[in-house]
Amino acid sequence: AQKVTQAQTEISVVEKEDVTLDCVYETRDTTYYLFWYKQPPSGELVFLIRRNSFDEQNEISGRYSWNFQKSTSSFNFTITASQVVDSAVYFCALSSPEISNFGNEKLTFGTGTRLTIIP
Amino acid sequence: DAGVIQSPRHEVTEMGQEVTLRCKPISGHNSLFWYRQTMMRGLELLIYFNNNVPIDDSGMPEDRFSAKMPNASFSTLKIQPSEPRDSAVYFCASSLGVAGLAGDEENIQYFGAGTRLSVL
């Protein structure tokens, strides 16, 4: 069975501080995908990033960076110089294309981390 | 592209009434998903379709829930009769699903804005 754990339920930081959101996953599959989604106060779910299990290269996109480590089954998300607009609930998710012929439809979500940036 | 479009955005109904939620996926996507989000259970996959065919409905809570996808550009999720415990935010998502290792735009689920359902 697949599982995603986001141990941090809520985090609050002062604006301009850096913050890291943790994500630990469990899967028996050798091929899988990891995702991060953002859910701002308006409620929609916004796709941020996808990584596949064969690509452990860290990724940076502006103030956002992701650290994927298979050795620890973690896919952590860091926001540098946080801004008030970063306030949202962030979800980590996992899927595996091995269990179906149709693609990675079995997205398993973590419980989310509510991030509050204090002005 | 306009993204995944859901309607209505908010629905308030009384217990026992029929509720129909609607979804228009992103043009060209071949997979469509219905999720439910509650405080207690988080995000749950209810059902998904591939090429308009239901593939897995194991997440549908009970017979009061049904979903259809009559064509590639429209899907409905119906609850009949509705109950207060059905109150939640219902999301629709679509993706270009491919088997095996995906390319840059494949196997990424894009979500609609959701329908907030309140059953009184």
Side-chain angles (χ1 to χ4, degrees):
Chain A
Q2 300 186 92
K3 184 178 180 182
V4 176
T5 301
Q6 295 181 256
Q8 305 152 307
T9 305
E10 296 190 26
I11 301 176
S12 294
V13 299
V14 176
E15 195 173 20
K16 298 184 183 178
E17 288 185 353
D18 299 347
V19 59
T20 296
L21 310 182
D22 297 334
C23 173
V24 175
Y25 62 92
E26 296 176 27
T27 180
R28 295 181 180 177
D29 298 317
T30 56
T31 302
Y32 52 88
Y33 296 102
L34 295 162
F35 301 78
W36 277 94
Y37 283 86
K38 174 183 180 180
Q39 187 172 39
S42 50
E44 70 273 25
L45 277 161
V46 180
F47 165 76
L48 295 178
I49 190 173
R50 179 195 69 190
R51 304 297 282 177
N52 72 58
S53 52
F54 298 110
D55 184 0
E56 288 192 71
Q57 195 170 17
N58 292 333
E59 182 153 343
I60 298 174
S61 177
R63 297 183 297 107
Y64 295 173
S65 62
W66 291 269
N67 185 315
F68 175 30
Q69 292 194 345
K70 288 179 76 171
S71 60
T72 56
S73 297
S74 65
F75 186 44
N76 297 337
F77 173 27
T78 297
I79 301 174
T80 304
S82 60
Q83 300 177 1
V84 173
V85 293
D86 297 327
S87 296
V89 179
Y90 290 86
F91 291 94
C92 182
L94 166 71
S95 73
S96 171
E98 292 183 348
I99 60 178
S100 166
N101 293 323
F102 302 104
N104 62 335
E105 58 275 4
K106 291 288 190 180
L107 261 184
T108 300
F109 281 90
T111 52
T113 297
R114 181 177 299 277
L115 175 64
T116 301
I117 308 300
I118 303 167
Chain B
D1 202 312
V4 177
I5 300 173
Q6 291 187 246
S7 63
R9 289 297 311 278
H10 303 274
E11 178 79 33
V12 180
T13 190
E14 293 187 348
M15 184 174 63
Q17 297 297 306
E18 177 180 295
V19 175
T20 299
L21 311 181
R22 297 172 176 80
C23 176
K24 176 180 169 55
I26 293 173
S27 176
H29 282 188
N30 60 354
S31 295
L32 183 139
F33 312 82
W34 283 100
Y35 289 87
R36 179 171 66 175
Q37 184 179 34
T38 61
M39 289 295 293
M40 292 297 293
R41 301 173 67 91
L43 275 158
E44 307 172 271
L45 177 65
L46 300 178
I47 184 172
Y48 76 89
F49 296 83
N50 183 265
N51 291 326
N52 312 337
V53 176
I55 302 302
D56 185 349
D57 64 354
S58 60
M60 296 286 261
E62 48 197 273
D63 292 345
R64 296 184 298 107
F65 286 70
S66 63
K68 294 182 180 179
M69 191 164 185
N71 57 61
S73 58
F74 184 66
S75 176
T76 59
L77 178 67
K78 185 176 293 186
I79 308 173
Q80 166 64 19
S82 58
E83 297 182 2
R85 59 192 168 121
D86 301 330
S87 297
V89 180
Y90 291 82
F91 286 101
C92 176
S94 72
S95 76
L96 178 57
V98 296
L101 206 59
D104 287 346
E105 293 302 319
E106 298 160 347
N107 291 354
I108 296 173
Q109 293 184 26
Y110 292 94
F111 285 74
T115 295
R116 183 174 296 276
L117 173 65
S118 297
V119 183
L120 306 177

